[in-house]
Amino acid sequence: QVQLVESGGGLVQAGGSLRLSCAASGRTFSTNAMGWFRQAPGKERELVGCINWSGERTDYADSAKGRFTISRDNAKNTMYLQMNTLLPEDTAVYYCAAARVANLVQAIAMYAYWGQGTQVTVSS
């Protein structure tokens, strides 16, 4: 199995930036599509963005487009989420996840491996 650990969350003022990291262990990491999700209190978990196995293709939720960037370094077994121009509505627990397939996938049900999450709080 792929094991994932998020880091980099914290408290930031609106307009600020954070960079989240997802450290993965497992021999199949480079063949997995990956995704970042978030869940605010009382709300469903939602897709932030995803990236294919090679990092050549990405997709983002409308709320993240133009502000967030997903990248991965397969040599380091690490995925990143650079978040700029943060808004209070970005406040949530952020999770990284790995799918069983290599291509882009958006549905939560397609992701088999999950980290424990890291809290991001954006103050207004």
Side-chain angles (χ1 to χ4, degrees), residues 3-122:
Q3 296 178 330
L4 307 171
V5 180
E6 303 96 335
S7 63
L11 175 65
V12 64
Q13 293 188 38
S17 299
L18 284 174
R19 189 192 193 198
L20 305 184
S21 297
C22 176
S25 61
R27 62 189 179 190
T28 63
F29 173 78
S30 63
T31 67
N32 295 93
M34 303 284 292
W36 283 99
F37 296 80
R38 67 186 182 187
Q39 187 168 21
K43 297 184 179 180
E44 296 183 5
R45 190 170 300 184
E46 64 178 3
L47 174 74
V48 176
C50 52
I51 188 167
N52 78 327
W53 71 274
S54 66
E56 295 178 350
R57 296 184 177 182
T58 56
D59 195 19
Y60 300 92
D62 288 341
S63 61
K65 290 179 179 177
R67 299 188 299 126
F68 294 3
T69 302
I70 294 174
S71 61
R72 67 191 296 169
D73 187 339
N74 289 344
K76 296 181 178 180
N77 289 335
T78 303
M79 178 179 64
Y80 305 95
L81 178 65
Q82 179 66 47
M83 303 186 292
N84 299 324
T85 319
L86 283 162
L87 303 170
E89 48 262 46
D90 294 319
T91 295
V93 176
Y94 283 70
Y95 300 88
C96 66
R100 293 185 183 274
V101 298
N103 58 297
L104 286 175
V105 58
Q106 294 79 33
I108 293 176
M110 296 294 100
Y111 287 84
Y113 311 105
W114 293 84
Q116 295 300 307
T118 185
Q119 177 71 47
V120 172
T121 302
V122 184

